[in-house]
Amino acid sequence: MKFFSATCLLFCFWMYPAVGHASCPELLNHEFSRLQDEQPQNLCQYAGKVILVVNTASYCGYTSQYDGLEKIYSQYKSAGLVVLGFPSNDFGSQEPGNNKQIADFCKNTFDVKFPMFSKTVVSGAKANPMFQKLTQQTGGAPRWNFHKYLIGRDGKAVAQYNSSVEPTDIRITNDIKTALARQIKETQ
């Protein structure tokens, strides 16, 4: 009996990582530090949700889009939407601050409540792995701050929107509603 228990225990430990990876789409299987406290966060925690990924900047003509991002986050989060912000200094040096300065700006100026991550590179050869995959899946890389990607519940990119498209634009909200409804149809 001891042999059986030990074998079962080893088998369970061996199988657990495979089960964990299977439930996390490749696009989300990345770890980034949270902006506010730099604690590592695995994006697998958002598997099964509809995700709007945005590269942000504090000193950009589009910075006021934080209001729209917060609005759609609060409007649709109970239905399964999450907005993920990734500050970047890639375009026009419009995000020069450190993580604490960026976090303070987001909280104090726009009362941002959606998850934000540490400053990162989102374009070019040194882009973080998630933005590289988003670019591959959609065929489009961010060309400026506040480029948006929509990821479906299956963990695959659904659409991308250039910086000038407001988060509350009907194209984005309709795509969000469609992506949110897909889960309901698939489980019925």
CSV table of all heavy atoms in Angstrom, one decimal, residues 94-135:
chain,number,residue,atom,x,y,z
A,94,GLN,N,7.1,59.7,-23.5
A,94,GLN,CA,5.9,60.3,-22.7
A,94,GLN,C,5.6,59.5,-21.4
A,94,GLN,O,4.6,59.8,-20.8
A,94,GLN,CB,4.7,60.3,-23.7
A,94,GLN,CG,5.0,61.3,-24.8
A,94,GLN,CD,3.8,61.4,-25.8
A,94,GLN,OE1,2.9,60.5,-25.8
A,94,GLN,NE2,3.8,62.4,-26.6
A,95,GLU,N,6.5,58.6,-21.1
A,95,GLU,CA,6.3,57.9,-19.8
A,95,GLU,C,7.7,57.9,-19.1
A,95,GLU,O,8.3,56.8,-18.9
A,95,GLU,CB,5.7,56.5,-20.0
A,95,GLU,CG,5.3,55.8,-18.7
A,95,GLU,CD,4.3,56.6,-17.9
A,95,GLU,OE1,4.6,57.5,-17.2
A,95,GLU,OE2,3.1,56.3,-18.1
A,96,PRO,N,8.2,59.0,-18.7
A,96,PRO,CA,9.6,59.1,-18.2
A,96,PRO,C,9.7,58.6,-16.7
A,96,PRO,O,10.8,58.3,-16.3
A,96,PRO,CB,10.0,60.5,-18.3
A,96,PRO,CG,8.7,61.3,-18.2
A,96,PRO,CD,7.7,60.4,-18.8
A,97,GLY,N,8.7,58.6,-16.0
A,97,GLY,CA,8.7,58.3,-14.6
A,97,GLY,C,9.0,56.9,-14.2
A,97,GLY,O,9.0,56.0,-15.0
A,98,ASN,N,9.3,56.7,-12.9
A,98,ASN,CA,9.5,55.3,-12.4
A,98,ASN,C,8.1,54.7,-12.1
A,98,ASN,O,7.1,55.4,-12.1
A,98,ASN,CB,10.5,55.3,-11.2
A,98,ASN,CG,10.0,56.1,-10.0
A,98,ASN,OD1,8.8,56.1,-9.7
A,98,ASN,ND2,10.9,56.7,-9.3
A,99,ASN,N,8.1,53.5,-11.6
A,99,ASN,CA,6.8,52.8,-11.4
A,99,ASN,C,6.0,53.5,-10.3
A,99,ASN,O,4.8,53.7,-10.4
A,99,ASN,CB,7.1,51.4,-11.0
A,99,ASN,CG,7.5,50.5,-12.2
A,99,ASN,OD1,7.1,50.8,-13.3
A,99,ASN,ND2,8.3,49.5,-12.0
A,100,LYS,N,6.6,54.0,-9.2
A,100,LYS,CA,5.9,54.7,-8.2
A,100,LYS,C,5.3,56.0,-8.7
A,100,LYS,O,4.1,56.3,-8.4
A,100,LYS,CB,6.8,55.0,-7.0
A,100,LYS,CG,6.1,55.6,-5.8
A,100,LYS,CD,6.9,56.0,-4.6
A,100,LYS,CE,6.2,56.7,-3.5
A,100,LYS,NZ,4.9,57.2,-3.8
A,101,GLN,N,6.0,56.7,-9.5
A,101,GLN,CA,5.5,58.0,-10.0
A,101,GLN,C,4.3,57.7,-11.0
A,101,GLN,O,3.3,58.4,-10.9
A,101,GLN,CB,6.6,58.7,-10.8
A,101,GLN,CG,7.7,59.3,-9.9
A,101,GLN,CD,8.9,59.7,-10.6
A,101,GLN,OE1,9.3,59.1,-11.7
A,101,GLN,NE2,9.6,60.8,-10.1
A,102,ILE,N,4.4,56.7,-11.8
A,102,ILE,CA,3.4,56.3,-12.7
A,102,ILE,C,2.1,55.9,-11.9
A,102,ILE,O,1.0,56.3,-12.2
A,102,ILE,CB,3.8,55.2,-13.7
A,102,ILE,CG1,5.0,55.7,-14.5
A,102,ILE,CG2,2.6,54.8,-14.5
A,102,ILE,CD1,5.7,54.6,-15.3
A,103,ALA,N,2.3,55.0,-10.9
A,103,ALA,CA,1.2,54.5,-10.1
A,103,ALA,C,0.5,55.7,-9.4
A,103,ALA,O,-0.7,55.8,-9.4
A,103,ALA,CB,1.7,53.5,-9.0
A,104,ASP,N,1.3,56.6,-8.8
A,104,ASP,CA,0.7,57.8,-8.2
A,104,ASP,C,-0.1,58.7,-9.2
A,104,ASP,O,-1.2,59.1,-8.9
A,104,ASP,CB,1.8,58.7,-7.5
A,104,ASP,CG,2.4,58.0,-6.3
A,104,ASP,OD1,1.8,57.0,-5.8
A,104,ASP,OD2,3.5,58.5,-5.8
A,105,PHE,N,0.5,58.9,-10.3
A,105,PHE,CA,-0.2,59.6,-11.4
A,105,PHE,C,-1.6,59.0,-11.7
A,105,PHE,O,-2.6,59.6,-11.8
A,105,PHE,CB,0.7,59.8,-12.6
A,105,PHE,CG,0.0,60.4,-13.8
A,105,PHE,CD1,-0.1,61.8,-13.8
A,105,PHE,CD2,-0.6,59.7,-14.8
A,105,PHE,CE1,-0.8,62.4,-14.9
A,105,PHE,CE2,-1.3,60.3,-15.8
A,105,PHE,CZ,-1.4,61.7,-15.9
A,106,CYS,N,-1.5,57.7,-12.0
A,106,CYS,CA,-2.8,57.0,-12.4
A,106,CYS,C,-3.8,57.0,-11.3
A,106,CYS,O,-5.0,57.3,-11.6
A,106,CYS,CB,-2.4,55.5,-12.7
A,106,CYS,SG,-1.5,55.3,-14.2
A,107,LYS,N,-3.4,56.8,-10.1
A,107,LYS,CA,-4.4,56.9,-8.9
A,107,LYS,C,-4.9,58.3,-8.7
A,107,LYS,O,-6.1,58.5,-8.6
A,107,LYS,CB,-3.7,56.3,-7.7
A,107,LYS,CG,-4.6,56.3,-6.4
A,107,LYS,CD,-5.7,55.4,-6.6
A,107,LYS,CE,-6.6,55.4,-5.3
A,107,LYS,NZ,-7.9,55.0,-5.6
A,108,ASN,N,-4.0,59.2,-8.6
A,108,ASN,CA,-4.3,60.6,-8.2
A,108,ASN,C,-5.0,61.4,-9.3
A,108,ASN,O,-5.9,62.2,-9.0
A,108,ASN,CB,-3.1,61.4,-7.7
A,108,ASN,CG,-2.5,60.8,-6.4
A,108,ASN,OD1,-3.2,60.1,-5.6
A,108,ASN,ND2,-1.2,60.9,-6.3
A,109,THR,N,-4.7,61.1,-10.5
A,109,THR,CA,-5.2,61.9,-11.6
A,109,THR,C,-6.5,61.3,-12.2
A,109,THR,O,-7.4,62.0,-12.6
A,109,THR,CB,-4.2,62.1,-12.7
A,109,THR,OG1,-3.0,62.6,-12.1
A,109,THR,CG2,-4.7,63.1,-13.8
A,110,PHE,N,-6.5,60.0,-12.3
A,110,PHE,CA,-7.6,59.3,-13.0
A,110,PHE,C,-8.3,58.2,-12.1
A,110,PHE,O,-9.2,57.6,-12.6
A,110,PHE,CB,-7.1,58.6,-14.3
A,110,PHE,CG,-6.7,59.7,-15.3
A,110,PHE,CD1,-5.4,60.0,-15.5
A,110,PHE,CD2,-7.7,60.3,-16.1
A,110,PHE,CE1,-5.0,60.9,-16.5
A,110,PHE,CE2,-7.3,61.3,-17.0
A,110,PHE,CZ,-6.0,61.6,-17.2
A,111,ASP,N,-7.9,58.0,-10.9
A,111,ASP,CA,-8.4,57.0,-10.0
A,111,ASP,C,-8.5,55.7,-10.7
A,111,ASP,O,-9.6,55.0,-10.7
A,111,ASP,CB,-9.8,57.5,-9.5
A,111,ASP,CG,-10.2,56.7,-8.2
A,111,ASP,OD1,-9.3,56.1,-7.6
A,111,ASP,OD2,-11.4,56.6,-8.0
A,112,VAL,N,-7.4,55.3,-11.4
A,112,VAL,CA,-7.4,54.0,-12.1
A,112,VAL,C,-7.5,52.8,-11.1
A,112,VAL,O,-6.8,52.7,-10.1
A,112,VAL,CB,-6.1,53.9,-12.9
A,112,VAL,CG1,-5.9,52.5,-13.5
A,112,VAL,CG2,-6.1,54.9,-14.0
A,113,LYS,N,-8.5,51.9,-11.4
A,113,LYS,CA,-8.7,50.8,-10.5
A,113,LYS,C,-8.4,49.5,-11.3
A,113,LYS,O,-8.2,48.4,-10.7
A,113,LYS,CB,-10.1,50.7,-10.0
A,113,LYS,CG,-10.4,51.9,-9.1
A,113,LYS,CD,-11.9,51.8,-8.6
A,113,LYS,CE,-12.2,52.9,-7.7
A,113,LYS,NZ,-12.4,54.2,-8.4
A,114,PHE,N,-8.3,49.5,-12.6
A,114,PHE,CA,-8.0,48.3,-13.3
A,114,PHE,C,-6.5,48.0,-13.2
A,114,PHE,O,-5.7,48.8,-12.8
A,114,PHE,CB,-8.4,48.4,-14.8
A,114,PHE,CG,-7.7,49.5,-15.6
A,114,PHE,CD1,-6.4,49.4,-16.1
A,114,PHE,CD2,-8.4,50.7,-15.8
A,114,PHE,CE1,-5.8,50.4,-16.8
A,114,PHE,CE2,-7.8,51.8,-16.5
A,114,PHE,CZ,-6.5,51.6,-17.0
A,115,PRO,N,-6.1,46.7,-13.3
A,115,PRO,CA,-4.7,46.3,-13.1
A,115,PRO,C,-3.7,47.0,-14.0
A,115,PRO,O,-4.0,47.1,-15.2
A,115,PRO,CB,-4.8,44.8,-13.4
A,115,PRO,CG,-6.2,44.4,-13.2
A,115,PRO,CD,-7.0,45.5,-13.7
A,116,MET,N,-2.7,47.5,-13.4
A,116,MET,CA,-1.6,48.1,-14.1
A,116,MET,C,-0.3,47.4,-13.8
A,116,MET,O,-0.1,46.9,-12.7
A,116,MET,CB,-1.5,49.6,-13.7
A,116,MET,CG,-2.6,50.5,-14.1
A,116,MET,SD,-2.6,51.0,-15.9
A,116,MET,CE,-1.2,52.0,-16.0
A,117,PHE,N,0.6,47.3,-14.8
A,117,PHE,CA,1.8,46.6,-14.6
A,117,PHE,C,3.0,47.6,-14.7
A,117,PHE,O,2.9,48.7,-15.2
A,117,PHE,CB,1.9,45.4,-15.6
A,117,PHE,CG,0.8,44.4,-15.3
A,117,PHE,CD1,-0.4,44.5,-15.9
A,117,PHE,CD2,1.0,43.5,-14.3
A,117,PHE,CE1,-1.4,43.7,-15.6
A,117,PHE,CE2,0.0,42.6,-14.0
A,117,PHE,CZ,-1.3,42.7,-14.7
A,118,SER,N,4.2,47.1,-14.3
A,118,SER,CA,5.4,47.9,-14.3
A,118,SER,C,5.7,48.4,-15.8
A,118,SER,O,5.3,47.7,-16.7
A,118,SER,CB,6.6,47.1,-13.8
A,118,SER,OG,6.4,46.9,-12.4
A,119,LYS,N,6.4,49.5,-15.9
A,119,LYS,CA,6.8,50.0,-17.1
A,119,LYS,C,7.5,49.0,-17.9
A,119,LYS,O,8.4,48.2,-17.4
A,119,LYS,CB,7.7,51.3,-16.9
A,119,LYS,CG,7.9,52.1,-18.1
A,119,LYS,CD,8.3,53.5,-17.8
A,119,LYS,CE,9.8,53.7,-17.7
A,119,LYS,NZ,10.1,55.1,-17.6
A,120,THR,N,7.2,48.9,-19.2
A,120,THR,CA,7.8,47.9,-20.1
A,120,THR,C,8.0,48.4,-21.5
A,120,THR,O,7.5,49.4,-21.9
A,120,THR,CB,6.8,46.6,-20.1
A,120,THR,OG1,7.5,45.5,-20.7
A,120,THR,CG2,5.5,46.9,-20.7
A,121,VAL,N,8.6,47.6,-22.3
A,121,VAL,CA,8.8,47.8,-23.7
A,121,VAL,C,7.7,47.1,-24.5
A,121,VAL,O,7.4,45.9,-24.2
A,121,VAL,CB,10.2,47.4,-24.2
A,121,VAL,CG1,10.3,47.6,-25.8
A,121,VAL,CG2,11.3,48.1,-23.5
A,122,VAL,N,7.0,47.8,-25.4
A,122,VAL,CA,5.8,47.2,-26.1
A,122,VAL,C,6.0,47.1,-27.6
A,122,VAL,O,5.1,46.6,-28.3
A,122,VAL,CB,4.5,47.9,-25.8
A,122,VAL,CG1,4.2,47.9,-24.3
A,122,VAL,CG2,4.5,49.4,-26.3
A,123,SER,N,7.1,47.7,-28.1
A,123,SER,CA,7.3,47.7,-29.6
A,123,SER,C,8.7,47.3,-29.9
A,123,SER,O,9.6,47.4,-29.1
A,123,SER,CB,6.9,49.0,-30.2
A,123,SER,OG,7.8,50.0,-29.7
A,124,GLY,N,8.9,46.9,-31.2
A,124,GLY,CA,10.2,46.5,-31.6
A,124,GLY,C,10.7,45.2,-31.2
A,124,GLY,O,10.0,44.4,-30.5
A,125,ALA,N,12.0,45.0,-31.4
A,125,ALA,CA,12.6,43.7,-31.1
A,125,ALA,C,12.7,43.4,-29.6
A,125,ALA,O,12.8,42.3,-29.2
A,125,ALA,CB,14.1,43.6,-31.7
A,126,LYS,N,12.7,44.4,-28.8
A,126,LYS,CA,12.8,44.3,-27.3
A,126,LYS,C,11.5,44.3,-26.6
A,126,LYS,O,11.4,44.4,-25.4
A,126,LYS,CB,13.7,45.3,-26.7
A,126,LYS,CG,15.2,45.1,-27.2
A,126,LYS,CD,16.1,46.1,-26.5
A,126,LYS,CE,17.5,45.9,-27.0
A,126,LYS,NZ,18.5,46.8,-26.3
A,127,ALA,N,10.4,44.2,-27.4
A,127,ALA,CA,9.0,44.2,-26.8
A,127,ALA,C,8.9,43.1,-25.9
A,127,ALA,O,9.5,42.0,-26.1
A,127,ALA,CB,8.0,44.2,-27.9
A,128,ASN,N,8.1,43.2,-24.8
A,128,ASN,CA,7.9,42.1,-23.9
A,128,ASN,C,7.2,41.0,-24.6
A,128,ASN,O,6.5,41.2,-25.7
A,128,ASN,CB,7.2,42.6,-22.6
A,128,ASN,CG,5.7,42.8,-22.8
A,128,ASN,OD1,4.9,42.0,-23.3
A,128,ASN,ND2,5.2,43.9,-22.3
A,129,PRO,N,7.3,39.7,-24.2
A,129,PRO,CA,6.8,38.6,-24.9
A,129,PRO,C,5.3,38.6,-25.2
A,129,PRO,O,4.9,38.2,-26.3
A,129,PRO,CB,7.1,37.4,-24.0
A,129,PRO,CG,8.1,37.9,-23.0
A,129,PRO,CD,8.0,39.3,-22.9
A,130,MET,N,4.5,39.2,-24.3
A,130,MET,CA,3.1,39.2,-24.6
A,130,MET,C,2.8,40.2,-25.8
A,130,MET,O,2.0,39.8,-26.7
A,130,MET,CB,2.3,39.6,-23.4
A,130,MET,CG,0.8,39.5,-23.6
A,130,MET,SD,-0.3,39.9,-22.3
A,130,MET,CE,-0.1,41.7,-22.3
A,131,PHE,N,3.4,41.3,-25.8
A,131,PHE,CA,3.2,42.3,-26.9
A,131,PHE,C,3.7,41.7,-28.2
A,131,PHE,O,3.2,41.9,-29.3
A,131,PHE,CB,3.8,43.7,-26.6
A,131,PHE,CG,2.8,44.5,-25.8
A,131,PHE,CD1,2.6,44.4,-24.5
A,131,PHE,CD2,2.0,45.4,-26.5
A,131,PHE,CE1,1.7,45.2,-23.8
A,131,PHE,CE2,1.0,46.2,-25.8
A,131,PHE,CZ,0.9,46.1,-24.4
A,132,GLN,N,4.8,40.9,-28.1
A,132,GLN,CA,5.3,40.3,-29.3
A,132,GLN,C,4.2,39.3,-29.9
A,132,GLN,O,4.0,39.3,-31.1
A,132,GLN,CB,6.6,39.5,-29.0
A,132,GLN,CG,7.8,40.4,-28.8
A,132,GLN,CD,9.1,39.6,-28.5
A,132,GLN,OE1,9.1,38.4,-28.5
A,132,GLN,NE2,10.1,40.4,-28.2
A,133,LYS,N,3.6,38.5,-29.0
A,133,LYS,CA,2.6,37.6,-29.4
A,133,LYS,C,1.4,38.3,-29.9
A,133,LYS,O,0.7,37.9,-30.9
A,133,LYS,CB,2.3,36.6,-28.3
A,133,LYS,CG,3.4,35.6,-28.1
A,133,LYS,CD,3.0,34.6,-27.0
A,133,LYS,CE,4.1,33.5,-27.0
A,133,LYS,NZ,4.7,33.4,-25.7
A,134,LEU,N,1.0,39.4,-29.3
A,134,LEU,CA,-0.2,40.2,-29.7
A,134,LEU,C,0.1,40.7,-31.1
A,134,LEU,O,-0.8,40.7,-32.0
A,134,LEU,CB,-0.5,41.3,-28.7
A,134,LEU,CG,-1.2,40.9,-27.4
A,134,LEU,CD1,-1.1,42.0,-26.4
A,134,LEU,CD2,-2.6,40.4,-27.7
A,135,THR,N,1.3,41.2,-31.3
A,135,THR,CA,1.6,41.7,-32.7
A,135,THR,C,1.6,40.6,-33.7
A,135,THR,O,1.0,40.8,-34.8
A,135,THR,CB,3.0,42.3,-32.6
A,135,THR,OG1,3.0,43.4,-31.7
A,135,THR,CG2,3.5,42.8,-34.0
